[in-house]
PDB file of all heavy atoms in Angstrom:
ATOM      1  N   GLU V 211      24.077  -2.442 -21.692  1.00  0.00           N
ATOM      2  CA  GLU V 211      24.857  -3.667 -21.498  1.00  0.00           C
ATOM      3  C   GLU V 211      25.582  -3.635 -20.155  1.00  0.00           C
ATOM      4  O   GLU V 211      25.942  -2.583 -19.647  1.00  0.00           O
ATOM      5  CB  GLU V 211      25.876  -3.817 -22.620  1.00  0.00           C
ATOM      6  CG  GLU V 211      25.263  -4.134 -23.967  1.00  0.00           C
ATOM      7  CD  GLU V 211      26.327  -4.395 -25.024  1.00  0.00           C
ATOM      8  OE1 GLU V 211      27.528  -4.347 -24.669  1.00  0.00           O
ATOM      9  OE2 GLU V 211      25.959  -4.644 -26.170  1.00  0.00           O
ATOM     10  N   VAL V 212      25.843  -4.856 -19.632  1.00  0.00           N
ATOM     11  CA  VAL V 212      26.575  -5.013 -18.380  1.00  0.00           C
ATOM     12  C   VAL V 212      27.698  -5.985 -18.617  1.00  0.00           C
ATOM     13  O   VAL V 212      27.498  -7.064 -19.209  1.00  0.00           O
ATOM     14  CB  VAL V 212      25.643  -5.535 -17.255  1.00  0.00           C
ATOM     15  CG1 VAL V 212      26.451  -5.769 -15.976  1.00  0.00           C
ATOM     16  CG2 VAL V 212      24.513  -4.542 -17.004  1.00  0.00           C
ATOM     17  N   GLY V 213      28.880  -5.589 -18.157  1.00  0.00           N
ATOM     18  CA  GLY V 213      30.027  -6.463 -18.330  1.00  0.00           C
ATOM     19  C   GLY V 213      29.829  -7.809 -17.672  1.00  0.00           C
ATOM     20  O   GLY V 213      29.436  -7.889 -16.508  1.00  0.00           O
ATOM     21  N   GLY V 214      30.107  -8.885 -18.389  1.00  0.00           N
ATOM     22  CA  GLY V 214      29.907 -10.225 -17.884  1.00  0.00           C
ATOM     23  C   GLY V 214      28.540 -10.777 -18.195  1.00  0.00           C
ATOM     24  O   GLY V 214      28.295 -11.978 -18.051  1.00  0.00           O
ATOM     25  N   LEU V 215      27.633  -9.897 -18.616  1.00  0.00           N
ATOM     26  CA  LEU V 215      26.274 -10.332 -18.983  1.00  0.00           C
ATOM     27  C   LEU V 215      25.960  -9.902 -20.410  1.00  0.00           C
ATOM     28  O   LEU V 215      24.851  -9.498 -20.738  1.00  0.00           O
ATOM     29  CB  LEU V 215      25.244  -9.714 -18.007  1.00  0.00           C
ATOM     30  CG  LEU V 215      25.377 -10.103 -16.531  1.00  0.00           C
ATOM     31  CD1 LEU V 215      24.345  -9.345 -15.689  1.00  0.00           C
ATOM     32  CD2 LEU V 215      25.183 -11.606 -16.337  1.00  0.00           C
ATOM     33  N   GLU V 216      26.991  -9.996 -21.269  1.00  0.00           N
ATOM     34  CA  GLU V 216      26.811  -9.552 -22.645  1.00  0.00           C
ATOM     35  C   GLU V 216      25.714 -10.327 -23.364  1.00  0.00           C
ATOM     36  O   GLU V 216      25.094  -9.811 -24.307  1.00  0.00           O
ATOM     37  CB  GLU V 216      28.126  -9.697 -23.428  1.00  0.00           C
ATOM     38  CG  GLU V 216      29.201  -8.687 -23.055  1.00  0.00           C
ATOM     39  CD  GLU V 216      29.959  -9.101 -21.799  1.00  0.00           C
ATOM     40  OE1 GLU V 216      29.644 -10.177 -21.251  1.00  0.00           O
ATOM     41  OE2 GLU V 216      30.854  -8.345 -21.359  1.00  0.00           O
ATOM     42  N   PHE V 217      25.451 -11.587 -22.915  1.00  0.00           N
ATOM     43  CA  PHE V 217      24.422 -12.392 -23.596  1.00  0.00           C
ATOM     44  C   PHE V 217      23.024 -11.784 -23.448  1.00  0.00           C
ATOM     45  O   PHE V 217      22.101 -12.119 -24.185  1.00  0.00           O
ATOM     46  CB  PHE V 217      24.433 -13.822 -23.050  1.00  0.00           C
ATOM     47  CG  PHE V 217      24.043 -13.936 -21.600  1.00  0.00           C
ATOM     48  CD1 PHE V 217      22.718 -14.187 -21.230  1.00  0.00           C
ATOM     49  CD2 PHE V 217      24.979 -13.784 -20.591  1.00  0.00           C
ATOM     50  CE1 PHE V 217      22.367 -14.289 -19.899  1.00  0.00           C
ATOM     51  CE2 PHE V 217      24.626 -13.881 -19.258  1.00  0.00           C
ATOM     52  CZ  PHE V 217      23.311 -14.134 -18.901  1.00  0.00           C
ATOM     53  N   LEU V 218      22.865 -10.879 -22.464  1.00  0.00           N
ATOM     54  CA  LEU V 218      21.576 -10.208 -22.308  1.00  0.00           C
ATOM     55  C   LEU V 218      21.458  -8.984 -23.204  1.00  0.00           C
ATOM     56  O   LEU V 218      20.382  -8.381 -23.281  1.00  0.00           O
ATOM     57  CB  LEU V 218      21.388  -9.787 -20.840  1.00  0.00           C
ATOM     58  CG  LEU V 218      21.246 -10.923 -19.816  1.00  0.00           C
ATOM     59  CD1 LEU V 218      21.188 -10.348 -18.408  1.00  0.00           C
ATOM     60  CD2 LEU V 218      20.001 -11.759 -20.103  1.00  0.00           C
ATOM     61  N   GLY V 219      22.529  -8.643 -23.835  1.00  0.00           N
ATOM     62  CA  GLY V 219      22.498  -7.502 -24.746  1.00  0.00           C
ATOM     63  C   GLY V 219      22.257  -6.211 -24.009  1.00  0.00           C
ATOM     64  O   GLY V 219      22.756  -5.992 -22.896  1.00  0.00           O
ATOM     65  N   SER V 220      21.458  -5.344 -24.611  1.00  0.00           N
ATOM     66  CA  SER V 220      21.196  -4.029 -24.030  1.00  0.00           C
ATOM     67  C   SER V 220      20.226  -4.094 -22.854  1.00  0.00           C
ATOM     68  O   SER V 220      19.962  -3.080 -22.211  1.00  0.00           O
ATOM     69  CB  SER V 220      20.627  -3.084 -25.093  1.00  0.00           C
ATOM     70  OG  SER V 220      19.410  -3.604 -25.606  1.00  0.00           O
ATOM     71  N   TYR V 221      19.690  -5.288 -22.570  1.00  0.00           N
ATOM     72  CA  TYR V 221      18.735  -5.418 -21.463  1.00  0.00           C
ATOM     73  C   TYR V 221      19.424  -5.805 -20.148  1.00  0.00           C
ATOM     74  O   TYR V 221      18.769  -6.144 -19.177  1.00  0.00           O
ATOM     75  CB  TYR V 221      17.671  -6.468 -21.792  1.00  0.00           C
ATOM     76  CG  TYR V 221      16.827  -6.112 -22.990  1.00  0.00           C
ATOM     77  CD1 TYR V 221      16.946  -6.818 -24.181  1.00  0.00           C
ATOM     78  CD2 TYR V 221      15.908  -5.065 -22.921  1.00  0.00           C
ATOM     79  CE1 TYR V 221      16.180  -6.497 -25.280  1.00  0.00           C
ATOM     80  CE2 TYR V 221      15.133  -4.731 -24.013  1.00  0.00           C
ATOM     81  CZ  TYR V 221      15.270  -5.444 -25.195  1.00  0.00           C
ATOM     82  OH  TYR V 221      14.509  -5.117 -26.274  1.00  0.00           O
ATOM     83  N   GLY V 222      20.756  -5.758 -20.115  1.00  0.00           N
ATOM     84  CA  GLY V 222      21.495  -6.220 -18.948  1.00  0.00           C
ATOM     85  C   GLY V 222      21.156  -5.479 -17.675  1.00  0.00           C
ATOM     86  O   GLY V 222      20.836  -6.087 -16.645  1.00  0.00           O
ATOM     87  N   SER V 223      21.228  -4.136 -17.696  1.00  0.00           N
ATOM     88  CA  SER V 223      20.990  -3.370 -16.467  1.00  0.00           C
ATOM     89  C   SER V 223      19.543  -3.503 -16.013  1.00  0.00           C
ATOM     90  O   SER V 223      19.245  -3.561 -14.800  1.00  0.00           O
ATOM     91  CB  SER V 223      21.347  -1.896 -16.681  1.00  0.00           C
ATOM     92  OG  SER V 223      20.534  -1.314 -17.686  1.00  0.00           O
ATOM     93  N   ALA V 224      18.591  -3.561 -16.971  1.00  0.00           N
ATOM     94  CA  ALA V 224      17.184  -3.723 -16.604  1.00  0.00           C
ATOM     95  C   ALA V 224      16.953  -5.075 -15.940  1.00  0.00           C
ATOM     96  O   ALA V 224      16.236  -5.182 -14.937  1.00  0.00           O
ATOM     97  CB  ALA V 224      16.291  -3.576 -17.837  1.00  0.00           C
ATOM     98  N   CYS V 225      17.595  -6.118 -16.494  1.00  0.00           N
ATOM     99  CA  CYS V 225      17.447  -7.455 -15.898  1.00  0.00           C
ATOM    100  C   CYS V 225      18.011  -7.487 -14.488  1.00  0.00           C
ATOM    101  O   CYS V 225      17.440  -8.105 -13.580  1.00  0.00           O
ATOM    102  CB  CYS V 225      18.142  -8.489 -16.774  1.00  0.00           C
ATOM    103  SG  CYS V 225      17.278  -8.838 -18.321  1.00  0.00           S
ATOM    104  N   LEU V 226      19.171  -6.813 -14.280  1.00  0.00           N
ATOM    105  CA  LEU V 226      19.740  -6.752 -12.938  1.00  0.00           C
ATOM    106  C   LEU V 226      18.801  -6.029 -11.964  1.00  0.00           C
ATOM    107  O   LEU V 226      18.615  -6.454 -10.819  1.00  0.00           O
ATOM    108  CB  LEU V 226      21.090  -6.032 -12.975  1.00  0.00           C
ATOM    109  CG  LEU V 226      22.298  -6.844 -13.446  1.00  0.00           C
ATOM    110  CD1 LEU V 226      23.537  -5.961 -13.434  1.00  0.00           C
ATOM    111  CD2 LEU V 226      22.512  -8.069 -12.562  1.00  0.00           C
TER     112      LEU V 226
END
Side-chain angles (χ1 to χ4, degrees):
E211 290 185 1
V212 177
L215 298 176
E216 288 82 1
F217 65 93
L218 293 175
S220 60
Y221 297 110
S223 62
C225 288
L226 280 179

